[in-house]
Amino acid sequence: MRSRKGDMLSDRILFYGAGGRGVVESIGVDNILKDERVIPAGGFASDWTQVAALQGGRILFYAPSGRIVICSIDADNAIKDVTVFPAGTYATDWTEIAFLQPPAKPSSWAVVLIKFSDATTAPSYPRERFTEVFGGAGVGKFNMVDHFWEMSHGTLDLSVSRVFGWYTIPQKKSDYTGSGANPAGRADLITWARKAAANAGENLSPYADHVFVITHPPTDLFGGAGLGGVSGDDRDGAGMSSLSPALVGQEMGHVYSLDHSRAGGVEYRDSWDVMSNRGLYMAPHPVYKELDGSGRPIWRIGPGLNAANMAGRGWLDASRVWQAAATESNRIVDLRPLHSRGLAGYLCARVGPYFFEFRVKELWDAAISQPCVLVHEFNGNQSDLLPATNGHQDLRTGDEFLRGNPAGPTGTLVQVKVLNIDAATRTARLSVTRRP
């Protein structure tokens, strides 16, 4: 339940008493309790001993008699849509409740191909390339459907996206004046594309801001929430295809309200995150292998999206996150690679405001320098990469992340040590100590 577009998806907590009394509260990114909603004594039965939060803002209460209740919790923490299942619905010996990932939500995009009226060359690729890059026809080829499926932990399904055009618009390339300093000009370009589709009998209004425009010749590369995105159909000034998932992933990410990621408070410095492209760790595309005149790959993928950014959009699978208690002492936690949902185990560890994730040299992260543990926090809708005590941005075996004084008997402390990184078993082992 996002209270404002772009805010981090709120964590919420339910306190439950044996007298049927309870409280539901939200926890902001600053760890402040708010939006308290009190459930008076008798608000629910005193024999409910199991309470499980379900995906989608719902909660399940379970009693040993086999009686259950499922209800919804809205953005104001009010319980509604209560459904009661009588005693005997569940077997009385069921004592464990597991979280399941819900089906992905279709997130369709309209990809609009436009040519300026003074274009003198043919588009750089056949239309089939665009349907592969953006739609279901290219699933398994490291396309944008694959990208957002993996980066959202299966929350987003872009396979229903459609490609429209080519349309020739009346404007010349020189008529485009958009830039970061002229957002109105950028909006004009998307308006031209929408109008071209409308003139061809297509209605793009159901796509809202999920409109991605590709121009021939290339003009710009950008994306924004409430606006849409734009790319060119050929190589940019750096010789890379503007259609590379490494670049388009960031621009489409902006439409999903993702901001640029940071390291040390500076934007574009998190080399392990797609929202800091163009970074060090873009890998050659394993399917589209065209080279430039110097033999360099034109198409690039990755790196992946970090756990803090995923959580900020509600994409991080909460059932695969280990959550530290207020007090932990040398607690051992094993992590699997963040984007490897097919492996059993935790994909992220949350210790206070900090997200710990394990990344390996494969798939979208094939170009990173080595398997590593990354630490992020999330503030002001931006992730920030945090270093180890020795300055390493990518934590390796033996590295330590520290906040507070471990030698002092009191005071807030977060101390996480990387005990081992095993690339063969794709496991990173952490030791977590925490003091409130």
Side-chain angles (χ1 to χ4, degrees):
M1 274 62 64
R2 194 172 291 128
S3 58
R4 298 186 305 274
K5 188 172 185 180
D7 280 359
M8 184 175 183
L9 189 70
S10 297
D11 295 318
R12 292 184 289 175
I13 192 168
L14 176 130
F15 301 91
Y16 168 72
R21 183 170 58 90
V23 170
V24 180
E25 295 181 291
S26 299
I27 306 176
V29 295
D30 51 2
N31 289 333
I32 301 298
L33 292 173
K34 58 184 180 179
D35 303 327
E36 179 180 285
R37 176 76 65 164
V38 177
I39 302 170
F44 35 82
S46 59
D47 63 338
W48 286 343
T49 57
Q50 293 281 348
V51 179
L54 305 178
Q55 296 281 353
R58 294 176 296 165
I59 194 165
L60 178 144
F61 302 90
Y62 169 73
S65 65
R67 183 166 59 90
I68 64 173
V69 166
I70 299 175
C71 58
S72 299
I73 303 179
D74 66 16
D76 297 319
N77 288 334
I79 290 178
K80 61 181 183 178
D81 302 328
V82 177
T83 302
V84 179
F85 296 83
T89 300
Y90 277 2
T92 57
D93 62 342
W94 286 350
T95 58
E96 297 293 332
I97 297 174
F99 300 95
L100 302 178
Q101 183 76 1
K105 298 177 181 179
S107 184
S108 58
W109 285 70
V111 179
V112 186
L113 313 178
I114 62 172
K115 292 186 287 187
F116 290 102
S117 61
D118 58 344
T120 59
T121 59
S124 301
Y125 297 99
R127 194 173 186 276
E128 288 74 21
R129 174 64 63 93
F130 302 97
T131 60
E132 282 191 354
V133 170
F134 291 96
V139 168
K141 295 184 176 181
F142 287 84
N143 73 349
M144 301 318 302
V145 181
D146 298 327
H147 172 87
F148 281 103
W149 177 260
E150 297 297 336
M151 301 311 127
S152 72
H153 274 176
T155 300
L156 299 179
D157 180 4
L158 275 62
S159 63
V160 290
S161 300
R162 288 184 58 195
V163 175
F164 299 86
W166 292 93
Y167 304 127
T168 299
I169 62 175
Q171 289 80 14
K172 299 178 181 179
K173 181 179 178 180
S174 59
D175 291 326
Y176 176 66
T177 59
S179 66
N182 181 22
R186 288 181 162 180
D188 287 342
L189 180 57
I190 294 178
T191 298
W192 299 342
R194 285 181 176 274
K195 185 175 181 181
N199 290 342
E202 301 289 355
N203 177 19
L204 302 188
S205 59
Y207 295 94
D209 62 348
H210 288 188
V211 174
F212 200 85
V213 178
I214 298 171
T215 66
H216 177 76
T219 51
D220 206 344
L221 180 67
F222 67 85
L227 178 64
V230 166
S231 176
D233 74 324
D234 203 350
R235 282 178 278 174
D236 59 18
M240 188 188 313
S241 171
S242 297
L243 296 170
S244 292
L247 302 182
V248 174
Q250 180 177 125
E251 306 313 331
M252 293 177 72
H254 285 320
V255 181
Y256 286 116
S257 297
L258 284 163
D259 284 338
H260 296 135
S261 49
R262 303 178 295 191
V266 181
E267 290 189 353
Y268 285 109
R269 294 296 177 87
D270 185 350
S271 298
W272 293 263
D273 188 66
V274 69
M275 298 309 296
S276 275
N277 269 335
R278 311 163 184 261
L280 297 174
Y281 300 137
M282 296 181 293
H285 199 293
V287 177
Y288 305 133
K289 299 182 178 181
E290 291 97 338
L291 304 176
D292 65 14
S294 299
R296 295 170 298 191
I298 294 171
W299 288 73
R300 303 291 183 95
I301 64 168
L305 189 66
N306 71 57
N309 272 330
M310 293 170 69
R313 302 280 69 78
W315 297 344
L316 184 66
D317 185 350
S319 68
R320 307 291 301 275
V321 177
W322 179 80
Q323 182 74 52
T327 301
E328 301 281 2
S329 180
N330 298 316
R331 178 70 174 269
I332 302 301
V333 181
D334 287 336
L335 293 182
R336 311 308 293 271
L338 175 64
H339 302 120
S340 297
R341 290 185 298 129
L343 297 177
Y346 292 113
L347 305 178
C348 175
R350 184 83 184 271
V351 185
Y354 308 115
F355 296 82
F356 293 81
E357 66 193 64
F358 177 40
R359 304 281 281 273
V360 295
K361 286 175 61 65
E362 62 182 13
L363 305 174
W364 303 94
D365 290 330
I368 68 174
S369 58
Q370 61 191 346
C372 61
V373 172
L374 303 177
V375 189
H376 294 88
E377 60 181 341
F378 194 88
N379 292 300
N381 198 48
Q382 286 184 295
S383 69
D384 207 347
L385 180 67
L386 304 176
T389 54
N390 60 10
H392 289 162
Q393 289 183 312
D394 54 336
L395 278 63
R396 311 153 197 181
T397 297
D399 286 353
E400 174 188 67
F401 176 83
L402 181 64
R403 291 293 185 271
N405 181 11
T410 61
T412 301
L413 174 68
V414 171
Q415 184 179 31
V416 178
K417 300 177 181 179
V418 181
L419 300 181
N420 185 53
I421 291 178
D422 189 331
T425 63
R426 298 161 83 194
T427 304
R429 174 159 289 185
L430 309 180
S431 171
V432 178
T433 297
R434 185 186 183 196
R435 200 165 59 208

